[in-house]
Every structure is written in structure tokens, then in C-alpha cells.
């Protein structure tokens, strides 16, 4: 899956962009309710809200990356984590449980 950043005229985008989208917990998300641009602590809910905003057209991928100082790869990793594992896949503290090739050996197994 490959996302492509489109350059859209800001006036055209404003006329066609939705004013809100449904968030990961069923709540309505607007541009004003998105995490602040200076967010430092990326909890599951905040990551999922940004992904939902991009998927729903509230923000473009380019806007999200610029607003939150993300790389396209980082945003895409959030998107893949949700697609493959749901919201628990966004947990930073349990990456080894969700990332391919990093699963731990089952308990009781010795090498």
C-alpha cells in the first residue's frame, strides 16, 4: 500500500474538505478537536485521531505530517498498525508484540 501526497489548491480543498469525521471511539473529530500541533506524548487515542482525520479527509497526509512534525513513514506505520492490529497496535510500550520479526519466544522455552 502506497500513499501519494497530492498538492491541492487550499481554496479548493477548503470547499471540499469535511468539517468533521468520526474518530476511533465513535466521537466526532473536528480540526479544533485534533491533538495540538505541539503534542509530545503520543498516546493511542491521539495517533488514532490523526489517522482518522487523514482517512476521512479532514487533513491531508501532507498537512498532518507538517502539523505534527511526522515523517510519511511514521504516519504510515500508525496506519498499518491500526489496519493489522487495531488500536492496540499503536501501543509504543508493546511494539515487540505487534511488529513482525520481534515476537518473543513463548515462556518456558529455553535456547
Amino acid at each position: 500500500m502506497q500513499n501519494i501526497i497530492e498538492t491541492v489548491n487550499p481554496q479548493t480543498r477548503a470547499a471540499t474538505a469535511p468539517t468533521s469525521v468520526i474518530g476511533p471511539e465513535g466521537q466526532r473529530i473536528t480540526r479544533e478537536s485534533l491533538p495540538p500541533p505541539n503534542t509530545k506524548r503520543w498516546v493511542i487515542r491521539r495517533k488514532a485521531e490523526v489517522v482518522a482525520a487523514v482517512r476521512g479527509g479532514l487533513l491531508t497526509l501532507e498537512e498532518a505530517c507538517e502539523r505534527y512534525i511526522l515523517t510519511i513513514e511514521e504516519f504510515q506505520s500508525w496506519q498499518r498498525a491500526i489496519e493489522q492490529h487495531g488500536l492496540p497496535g499503536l501501543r509504543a510500550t508493546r511494539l515487540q508484540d505487534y511488529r513482525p520479526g520481534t515476537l518473543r519466544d513463548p515462556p518456558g522455552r529455553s535456547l
Side-chain angles (χ1 to χ4, degrees), residues 61-70:
L61 175 59
E62 184 176 49
E63 288 172 324
C65 289
E66 185 176 313
R67 178 179 172 130
Y68 297 111
I69 311 170
L70 303 171

Side-chain angles (χ1 to χ4, degrees), residues 1-74:
M1 176 172 68
Q2 184 177 17
N3 287 331
I4 299 172
I5 296 176
E6 290 184 25
T7 304
V8 178
N9 178 329
Q11 289 136 350
T12 303
R13 176 166 170 17
T16 60
T19 57
S20 66
V21 296
I22 302 300
E25 299 171 336
Q27 79 284 20
R28 208 155 269 294
I29 299 174
T30 63
R31 283 178 160 278
E32 293 76 31
S33 68
L34 284 169
N38 62 346
T39 298
K40 300 284 186 246
R41 189 165 178 262
W42 283 102
V43 296
I44 293 170
R45 180 186 49 79
R46 290 180 185 145
K47 292 176 185 179
E49 286 175 348
V50 173
V51 171
V54 172
R55 284 182 174 170
L58 192 60
L59 292 175
T60 65
L61 175 59
E62 184 176 49
E63 288 172 324
C65 289
E66 185 176 313
R67 178 179 172 130
Y68 297 111
I69 311 170
L70 303 171
T71 64
I72 292 171
E73 293 78 16
E74 185 172 16

